[in-house]
Amino acid sequence: MKTKSIVSLALCLLLVPVTLFAQISRNQSVSSPQVRPGGEVTFRLKAPYAKNVEISAQFLKGNQPLQKDSNGVWSITLGPVKPDIYPYNFIVDGTSVSDPTNTYLFPNENFKASLVEIPAEQPLLSSMQNVEHGKVTYCYYPSETLKCTRPLVIYTPPGYDGDNTKYPVLYLVSGTTDTEETWFKVGRANLILDNLIAQKKAVPMIIVMPYGNMLTGTPAPSTLQAADMYKVFSNDMTKSIIPYVEKNFRAIPDRESRAIAGFSRGGGQSLFTGFIHLDQFAWIGSYSAYLTNEVWDKYFSALSAKPEETNKKLRLLWMGVGNEDFLYKDAVKFIDLMKEKNINYKSLITDGGHTWMNSRHYLSETMQLYFKK
Amino acid sequence: MKTKSIVSLALCLLLVPVTLFAQISRNQSVSSPQVRPGGEVTFRLKAPYAKNVEISAQFLKGNQPLQKDSNGVWSITLGPVKPDIYPYNFIVDGTSVSDPTNTYLFPNENFKASLVEIPAEQPLLSSMQNVEHGKVTYCYYPSETLKCTRPLVIYTPPGYDGDNTKYPVLYLVSGTTDTEETWFKVGRANLILDNLIAQKKAVPMIIVMPYGNMLTGTPAPSTLQAADMYKVFSNDMTKSIIPYVEKNFRAIPDRESRAIAGFSRGGGQSLFTGFIHLDQFAWIGSYSAYLTNEVWDKYFSALSAKPEETNKKLRLLWMGVGNEDFLYKDAVKFIDLMKEKNINYKSLITDGGHTWMNSRHYLSETMQLYFKK
C-alpha cells in the first residue's frame, strides 16, 4: 500500500488525468486496473467463490481468462495496449460485472462496464492536460414534447463565466442505450474541447448533451419507424431544448452558430434533425450512423431536388465510420447517396468498429471544423 | 414492452423524478427495479448460468434469495418498502454485482451499488418535484496542497445565472470511499435544496462538494492519525478550494457565509476544519461523525478554555447520528464533550444506522438552519 501511495502521489504531481488518478490513487483493498508505463495493464477482481473469471475489453478480440491467487483475487496482465480509453468488464461464472474498485464507469441503460485509460507519451486529446478547463453542468429542462422534466449535460468553455461573450452551440447526441452522461464520461467531449481550444484548433463553443432515448422503444436504425422517433427528437430539440439553452446559456441564437452531431442512434437523430431543420442548423456530424434511401426519399427529396440551394445552407455535412463497424456498409451507402444527390460532404473512413474510441476520434476531427469561417 | 412504454409515459406526464423515470423508462430487455404504487418493488437479473442469486438492500436486515425463471431471469418482489432512496446490489454466486439495467448508481471507490427510489404519497424532499431547479457543475481546481488537479461538484441555486447576487456557500464533504459525486448522486443535495428553497425553508446557497480522499490511506476515524489527514484536508480547503470557488462563483467571501458539513469521514473533516478555521467558517454540521477527546485536547483546548468567545463565533454546531450507527457511542461521547466544555450545539438522535438515508435526513434538517439570521 505504501508503494502505491508514493506512485499515486508521483502521478498526481504530473497533473495526470483526474480519472486516471482516480483509478490509481483512490484507497481500496484490491487495485484495478493498474496501468504501467509502456501500456501494460493488470486487472484484478476479488471473487473467492467464483469458478471462472474472464475479462472482456474493447482492445481484445475475445475474452481472456483471469488466474486466481490464494487470497481469492483473480488477475490478468495484458498489453502493451495501444493508448486510448477502453470499456471493459469481468465475466464471473457467466455474469457480466463492472470493476468494483474502479470509479470510472460507462453510463448505460443495459450494461455496466468500466473504463481504462492507457496514456500515451504525447498525451491523448481526450486526456486531462495542464490547460484551462471548461465546466460541465447538469441541468433539467421542461420537455413540451415528452411532457416531463428531462436532463441535459452542458459544457461551457474556459472563460465562459468571466465574460459576456455569446458562443456557438454543438448539440451532441449519444447512442442507443447511452444516457445524457455518456458523451461526458465516455466521450470526454469536455476534455477534448479543452485541449483543442488550448491548441487553438477549435472555436470555443458550448456543447449540449441531451438524453437521446425518446421512450418509443428501439426501432431498427434508420427505418421509417426510426424516422418517426427522429421526429419526436427533432420536435423536442427545436421546441424545448434549444429554447431552454438559449434562455439559460449565452448561446448565439442563429443557424450558423448551431451544429448537431451524434454517435450511432444519435448520429441518425442528428442527420434527420439537421436536414429537417436546415433553418436551425448549418453544421451536421454523423459518427457511425446513416439514413436509408427510403427515409431520404420520404423526407428530404426537396433538398436533393435543389442541391445548390441545400449546399448554400449546409456549412458542413461530415460522416465518419469504421471499416469494421456493423453499420459500415449502410453508412457508406449513405455517403454514396449524398454523392449521387450532389450534396456536399466530408467523409472519413477509419479502422475499427462501432466504438467510443472511434466516436471520440470523429468528435476530435469535427470539432476542428465546426463554426470555422 | 408496449405496456411498459405506456406506464413510462404516464409516469413521465406526472413529472416524476428524472431518476425514477430513468429507472423505469429507459429501454432494456429486463426491467429492474420495478417500483409499484404502494411501495412494492421487483428486482430482476438475467443470469442464466448462476447457481445462486441474492439481493442485499439497505431496507433489508439480511440478504434475500431471488428465484430463477425458465429464461434465466432471477427475480424477487419485496415490500411495501418505506419511501426513501436505498442502495442495493445483487450477490451472484458470492460476487457483488450492481443492477445492469439500472442507470442510477452509487459512486464509490470500493463497491458498485445501485439505487432504488421508493416514492411517497407526499413527495420526498429528495425527489424531483415540479419546482425550479438549480444546476450542478463539474469543475477542476488546482490543488496547491496535493499538487494536482482535483474535481469539485458545485450546485448553484435557481436564478443564479439570471442575477448578480452573491450567495453563501455550504462546503459538503462525503465519506470514506465516497467520491465527489456521492453527495449529488446519492445525497441528492441539489434536489433537497431545490425543494427547500421552493418551500421557502432554506436560504438560496451554493453547495461545493469536494473529493474527501486525501491520498493518505484510511486512518481510524478521529484518531490523532486521522487528525493529520484532516489537516491536509483543511489546508486544501482554505488554500485552494475556497479561493477557487470565490474566484469562479459568486460566493460571499466572509466567515458568516461559509458552512462546512459532511457525512462520516467528511463529518470528521468538517468538525476539524470548521473548528481549526473558525476565522473562515461560522456554521459546522456533523452527520454520523465525531472528534475524540484526544483530538479535541490536542487541537482545540484554546476554544474550550474560552467557550463564550467560541460561542460568539460559532453560529451553529449541529451533530446528528442514528442509534444503530456503529459510530453512535463515539458520536454521543463527542456531543457530551461539547456539553461539558460549554460549547453551544444542536443535536439530533434518530433511528437507523450509518446510512445515506440518515445523511440526507441530517442534510435536510441543517439546510433549514444554515445562514439564517
Side-chain angles (χ1 to χ4, degrees), chain A residues 166-182:
Chain A
K166 289 193 167 189
Y167 294 88
V169 183
L170 166 62
Y171 292 85
L172 187 59
V173 195
S174 56
T176 305
T177 77
D178 292 326
T179 78
E180 68 284 358
E181 292 192 285
T182 311

Side-chain angles (χ1 to χ4, degrees), chain B residues 4-231:
Chain B
K4 203 169 102 192
S5 294
I6 292 165
V7 169
S8 307
L9 209 55
L11 279 168
C12 201
L13 285 161
L14 293 169
L15 283 164
V16 290
V18 164
T19 44
L20 173 64
F21 140 75
Q23 283 176 11
I24 294 179
S25 64
R26 301 196 195 248
N27 291 316
Q28 56 225 14
S29 51
V30 171
S31 175
S32 179
Q34 187 183 0
V35 182
R36 292 193 194 78
E40 276 202 340
V41 51
T42 301
F43 298 92
R44 296 185 182 88
L45 178 75
K46 184 152 192 165
Y49 308 109
K51 297 210 163 45
N52 185 49
V53 177
E54 298 184 347
I55 184 168
S56 163
Q58 285 197 6
F59 57 81
L60 292 172
K61 289 289 176 193
N63 297 352
Q64 293 286 327
L66 279 71
Q67 303 300 324
K68 185 164 117 175
D69 72 11
S70 56
N71 297 315
V73 176
W74 298 74
S75 68
I76 188 170
T77 298
L78 296 167
V81 180
K82 184 185 162 201
D84 208 329
I85 301 160
Y86 299 94
Y88 72 95
N89 59 267
F90 298 117
I91 300 132
V92 181
D93 295 332
T95 298
S96 292
V97 183
S98 60
D99 188 339
T101 62
N102 183 352
T103 57
Y104 187 22
L105 285 165
F106 189 134
N108 189 277
E109 296 165 351
N110 270 8
F111 59 80
K112 297 288 163 281
S114 302
L115 294 153
V116 59
E117 175 172 350
I118 311 291
E121 277 192 43
Q122 289 297 316
L124 298 169
L125 254 188
S126 51
S127 289
M128 176 165 285
Q129 298 181 30
N130 195 7
V131 299
E132 276 197 274
H133 300 296
K135 293 175 180 162
V136 176
T137 297
Y138 285 54
C139 42
Y140 308 104
Y141 72 99
S143 166
E144 198 190 293
T145 308
L146 294 163
K147 308 285 179 222
C148 62
T149 301
R150 302 254 301 177
L152 287 175
V153 176
I154 300 185
Y155 167 91
T156 51
Y160 178 89
D161 292 313
D163 63 28
N164 286 307
T165 314
K166 289 193 167 190
Y167 294 87
V169 183
L170 166 61
Y171 292 85
L172 188 59
V173 195
S174 56
T176 305
T177 76
D178 292 327
T179 77
E180 68 283 358
E181 292 193 284
T182 311
W183 266 117
F184 167 35
K185 297 288 183 82
V186 188
R188 297 265 190 107
N190 59 321
L191 297 183
I192 293 172
L193 188 49
D194 285 346
N195 291 328
L196 287 173
I197 291 171
Q199 296 171 19
K200 298 192 191 307
K201 289 182 179 166
V203 170
M205 65 185 90
I206 294 167
I207 308 174
V208 174
M209 296 165 268
Y211 177 43
N213 185 340
M214 293 294 110
L215 315 178
T216 55
T218 307
S222 297
T223 55
L224 289 176
Q225 289 73 31
D228 288 340
M229 178 268 284
Y230 298 158
K231 270 194 281 184

Side-chain angles (χ1 to χ4, degrees), chain A residues 82-245:
Chain A
K82 185 186 162 200
D84 208 328
I85 302 160
Y86 300 94
Y88 72 95
N89 60 266
F90 298 116
I91 300 131
V92 181
D93 295 333
T95 298
S96 292
V97 183
S98 60
D99 189 340
T101 62
N102 182 353
T103 56
Y104 187 22
L105 285 165
F106 189 133
N108 188 279
E109 296 166 352
N110 269 8
F111 59 80
K112 297 288 163 280
S114 302
L115 293 153
V116 59
E117 175 172 351
I118 310 292
E121 277 193 44
Q122 289 297 317
L124 298 170
L125 254 187
S126 51
S127 288
M128 176 164 286
Q129 298 181 30
N130 194 8
V131 299
E132 276 198 272
H133 299 295
K135 293 173 179 163
V136 176
T137 297
Y138 285 55
C139 43
Y140 308 104
Y141 71 98
S143 165
E144 198 188 295
T145 308
L146 293 164
K147 307 287 179 223
C148 61
T149 301
R150 301 257 300 177
L152 287 175
V153 175
I154 300 185
Y155 167 91
T156 51
Y160 178 89
D161 292 313
D163 63 29
N164 285 308
T165 314
K166 289 193 167 189
Y167 294 88
V169 183
L170 166 62
Y171 292 85
L172 187 59
V173 195
S174 56
T176 305
T177 77
D178 292 326
T179 78
E180 68 284 358
E181 292 192 285
T182 311
W183 266 117
F184 167 35
K185 297 288 183 81
V186 188
R188 299 264 191 109
N190 59 323
L191 297 184
I192 293 172
L193 189 49
D194 285 346
N195 291 328
L196 287 172
I197 291 171
Q199 296 171 19
K200 300 192 188 310
K201 289 183 179 166
V203 170
M205 64 184 92
I206 294 168
I207 308 175
V208 174
M209 294 165 269
Y211 177 42
N213 185 339
M214 293 294 110
L215 314 177
T216 54
T218 307
S222 298
T223 55
L224 288 176
Q225 290 72 33
D228 288 340
M229 178 269 283
Y230 298 159
K231 270 194 281 185
V232 180
F233 178 81
S234 300
N235 281 334
D236 197 37
M237 179 58 70
T238 54
K239 290 189 181 157
S240 301
I241 296 178
I242 292 176
Y244 174 87
V245 169

